[in-house]
């Protein structure tokens, strides 16, 4: 079976590649588990000094697998939901994280960037957080971190209108460090990750700790998680997932919140 998460180590950098190109690297429960486990293990592995997240096939990720959300929505998903485990893991990760974003970053594909310390984007990448279009709410503490990074008005527009922000603009508004031609993004991100890996790790980690209020991040993740779980079970969300599966526009006028 194809590995949907590819794992490699290069010069102290743990490279995690989302690799499900036929589904635009949409994240399944198992992919979240692999990512969460690898990032968790990296925290105590002295061979790893930086983590790099990227996507194969010219795409970062189309976000959470919507078929998976539909299964949760209809009560057909059982067992641990590793999306929450992944989010919590990146929320408290102490080693530096770098992201290389090409093509598309949707939903958690954008909110995970708020837990990365350096973000490189393709200038034509499309970054969107269409939670409201899906009848949902923001997650991964993005309702705290996105307005902090780009301001309330821009963050609200991203959440509520769900319109994509181009990579070039993402760099202008501080959502990314640098926008580059798509073909150069992964190399630039890897070079930056390797440069970080050569810095004194104790100092890098202490700096990251000082810059992130992990208690506030965790509290917001918990608050969002409660509402998100409720929203997944609403008729609005069910309509959004059904519309995606049936390749039609959703009609929210006939369902109640
Ligand atoms: N979950 C599950 N499958 C997904 C997916 C997702 N989030 N995003 C894309 N796919 C699948 C499509 O169903 C399609 O599968 P199929 O070929 O078996 O029908 C395949 O990936 C290609 O996607 P397609 O929609 O044909 O590509 P596109 O280039 O026209 O559009 C997107 C790409 C990402 C804009 C569009 O697929 C989309 O809106 N996806 C949903 C994104 C989303 O809402 N994510 C969750 C945010 S919380």
């Amino acid at each position: 079976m194809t590995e949907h998460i590819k794992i490699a180590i290069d010069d102290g950098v743990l490279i995690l590649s989302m690799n499900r190109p036929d589904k635009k690297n949409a994240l399944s429960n198992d992919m979240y588990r692999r990512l969460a486990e690898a990032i968790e293990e990296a925290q105590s592995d002295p061979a790893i000094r930086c983590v790099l997240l990227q996507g194969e096939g010219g795409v970062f990720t189309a976000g959470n697998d919507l078929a998976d959300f539909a299964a949760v929505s209809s009560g057909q998903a059982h067992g641990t939901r590793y999306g929450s485990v992944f989010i919590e893991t990146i929320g408290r990760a102490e080693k530096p994280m770098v992201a290389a974003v090409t093509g598309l970053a949707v939903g958690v594909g954008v909110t995970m960037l708020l837990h990365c310390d350096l973000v490189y984007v393709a200038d034509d990448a499309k970054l969107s957080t269409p939670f409201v279009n899906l009848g949902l709410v923001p997650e991964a503490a993005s309702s705290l971190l996105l307005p902090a990074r780009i301001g309330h008005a821009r963050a609200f527009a991203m959440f509520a209108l769900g319109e994509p922000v181009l990579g070039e603009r993402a760099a202008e508004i501080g959502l990314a460090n640098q926008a580059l031609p798509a073909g150069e993004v992964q190399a630039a991100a890897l070079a930056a990750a390797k440069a970080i890996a050569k810095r004194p790790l104790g100092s890098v980690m202490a700096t990251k700790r000082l810059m992130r209020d992990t208690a506030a991040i965790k509290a917001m993740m918990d608050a969002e998680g409660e509402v998100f779980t409720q929203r997944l079970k609403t008729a609005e969300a069910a309509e959004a997932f059904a519309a995606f599966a049936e390749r039609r526009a959703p009609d929210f006028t006939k369902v109640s919140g």
Side-chain angles (χ1 to χ4, degrees), residues 20-27 59 61-69 104 106-109 128-131 134 136 139 228 244-245 247:
R20 195 188 176 199
D22 57 321
K23 296 290 179 188
K24 307 267 173 191
N25 297 339
L27 289 158
V59 171
T61 171
N64 201 103
D65 188 315
L66 289 181
D68 226 58
F69 269 167
L104 281 170
V106 188
V108 71
S128 62
T129 48
F131 296 111
L134 293 168
L136 302 172
E139 36 73 315
F228 198 97
F244 180 74
R247 291 189 169 268

Side-chain angles (χ1 to χ4, degrees), residues 6-26:
K6 294 208 293 192
I7 302 179
I9 299 179
D10 185 357
D11 268 353
V13 179
L14 175 71
I15 306 172
L16 300 175
S17 305
M18 296 171 276
N19 181 39
R20 195 188 176 199
D22 57 321
K23 296 290 179 188
K24 307 267 173 191
N25 297 339

Side-chain angles (χ1 to χ4, degrees), residues 31 36 44 51 55 63 70 76 87 112 124-125 134 139 168 181 193 213 228-229 247 249:
M31 289 165 76
S44 55
V51 177
Q76 284 165 324
I87 283 167
M112 74 170 84
D124 61 352
L134 293 168
E139 36 73 315
E168 206 172 12
D213 185 346
F228 198 97
T229 306
R247 291 189 169 268

Side-chain angles (χ1 to χ4, degrees), residues 154-175:
R154 290 189 191 107
F156 188 81
M158 282 190 77
F159 288 142
L161 299 176
E163 285 166 4
V165 170
L166 286 178
E168 206 172 12
R169 180 76 181 138
E172 279 168 13
I173 62 178
L175 191 46

Side-chain angles (χ1 to χ4, degrees), residues 133-221:
N133 290 343
L134 293 168
L136 302 172
V137 291
E139 36 73 315
S142 59
S143 35
L144 175 72
L145 299 173
L146 192 60
R149 198 169 287 197
I150 66 172
H152 178 95
R154 290 189 191 107
F156 188 81
M158 282 190 77
F159 288 142
L161 299 176
E163 285 166 4
V165 170
L166 286 178
E168 206 172 12
R169 180 76 181 138
E172 279 168 13
I173 62 178
L175 191 46
N177 291 79
Q178 197 183 351
L180 298 152
E184 297 172 21
V185 173
Q186 292 192 348
L190 181 58
K194 287 185 178 184
I196 294 279
K198 290 195 175 63
R199 298 292 191 275
L201 183 59
S203 174
V204 170
M205 286 168 62
T207 301
K208 178 166 174 159
R209 261 198 304 277
L210 287 166
M211 290 175 72
R212 283 170 62 83
D213 185 346
T214 46
I217 288 170
K218 173 75 169 76
M220 184 53 85
M221 283 179 179

